[in-house]
Amino acid sequence: QSLNEIISMLFALLVVALAVVARAADVRMEPSVNVFSSSKWQLEKTPIDNDVIKTTFVLKHDKAAMEAFERTLLDRSNPKSANYGKWLKHDEIKSRIAPSTDSVKKVTDFLNSFGITEKDINVNKMGDMLTVSMPVKTANKMLKTEFALFRSVSQRNVAIPRITKPYYLPEEIAQHVQIVADIVRFPSLRQGPTIFNSDGKVSTDPEFNTCGTKCNGFTTPDVLKTAYSFEYMTTATAGNSMSVAEFQYQYYDNTDLQSFGDACGVTADVEVTIGGNNPKICEAGGCVEAL
């Protein structure tokens, strides 16, 4: 072989070695996930680069702090403990288990380096989740993956972006991040149930049809009233409130909430929303929050 050929081979090997080193600096997130599709969601197309997606960077918690917090919670839940019922306030919980401010800053700086400004980054009150809005092309570059649009097989008016291959983060960022949510898993869209009696026949109990045609077959206030034998409250102490939690692709819009209240004769006003809301999903039929 000529000297030039040898030099060319050595250069090629150097390039490969550098590529391997560069990849080694990245960490594959959620390595146990090897399937990036669902039989209930049809791959439709690659999203337009400028389409905006919303995802959440879930930060890691200190293992020892979480174990200590669990012991505290169990102790205060034990009627035999002197600490029974001495519940912690939000700030006290945060001080015990929230990721460090350094972790939040490192992830925020990482996002800023891709041109994502503070107005598109929302840190939750517990300081352990950063919800981010960004263009698809930015997400592809940041996470070293590729997004595509998937459409529900059963509800054709619902489509969502999801990744089609593994995603990565730089090692110095991955050590602070547990997962990047809302990019891998597919939601289970709720559909109207078929209600059966104990004899296997479809239920005709009138309580299931007390909130208008859209709620037929669902658990309505009258269903709960009959099942648990309680009466509706006619008065309430000023300042009383309650909270509810929704998971996996569940949001709300005020129009639907108002419609439910009018149909069922109940009043529910949302004062505070924690974790964000995407009412456009409701227009596609993906919300049943009032139920």
Side-chain angles (χ1 to χ4, degrees), residues 70-222:
E70 182 178 1
R71 290 193 296 270
T72 297
L73 182 62
L74 292 174
D75 177 53
R76 296 177 187 231
S77 303
N78 183 357
K80 296 181 180 180
S81 170
N83 295 316
Y84 178 65
K86 297 179 180 178
W87 306 118
L88 301 173
K89 298 183 182 299
H90 179 273
D91 289 343
E92 293 175 312
I93 297 174
K94 183 177 180 179
S95 67
R96 292 170 183 249
I97 65 172
S100 68
T101 54
D102 181 62
S103 291
V104 176
K105 185 178 187 306
K106 278 186 167 58
V107 176
T108 301
D109 288 346
F110 172 69
L111 296 171
N112 292 159
S113 71
F114 283 87
I116 301 174
T117 61
E118 300 300 325
K119 70 180 181 63
D120 292 319
I121 304 173
N122 178 63
V123 182
N124 72 338
K125 288 187 176 181
M126 192 57 68
D128 58 359
M129 291 192 291
L130 285 75
T131 300
V132 185
S133 297
M134 56 182 160
V136 167
K137 63 180 178 181
T138 301
N140 284 338
K141 182 179 180 181
M142 177 192 298
L143 302 174
K144 298 178 174 63
T145 187
E146 185 175 329
F147 280 83
L149 197 65
F150 290 82
R151 188 169 296 278
S152 170
V153 172
S154 61
Q155 299 186 38
R156 301 300 293 168
N157 55 347
V158 180
I160 58 173
R162 287 295 184 268
I163 60 175
T164 57
K165 61 182 182 181
Y167 70 102
Y168 298 82
L169 286 173
E171 186 177 7
E172 64 272 18
I173 301 302
Q175 63 180 308
H176 300 285
V177 178
Q178 187 70 38
I179 63 169
V180 180
D182 297 330
I183 67 171
V184 176
R185 290 160 185 80
F186 292 84
S188 177
L189 299 183
R190 187 181 299 185
Q191 299 184 34
T194 302
I195 310 300
F196 292 92
N197 285 322
S198 58
D199 59 2
K201 296 181 179 179
V202 177
S203 174
T204 56
D205 291 342
E207 289 86 354
F208 286 96
N209 303 305
T210 54
C211 285
T213 56
K214 285 188 176 181
C215 297
N216 283 352
F218 286 101
T219 301
T220 67
D222 276 359

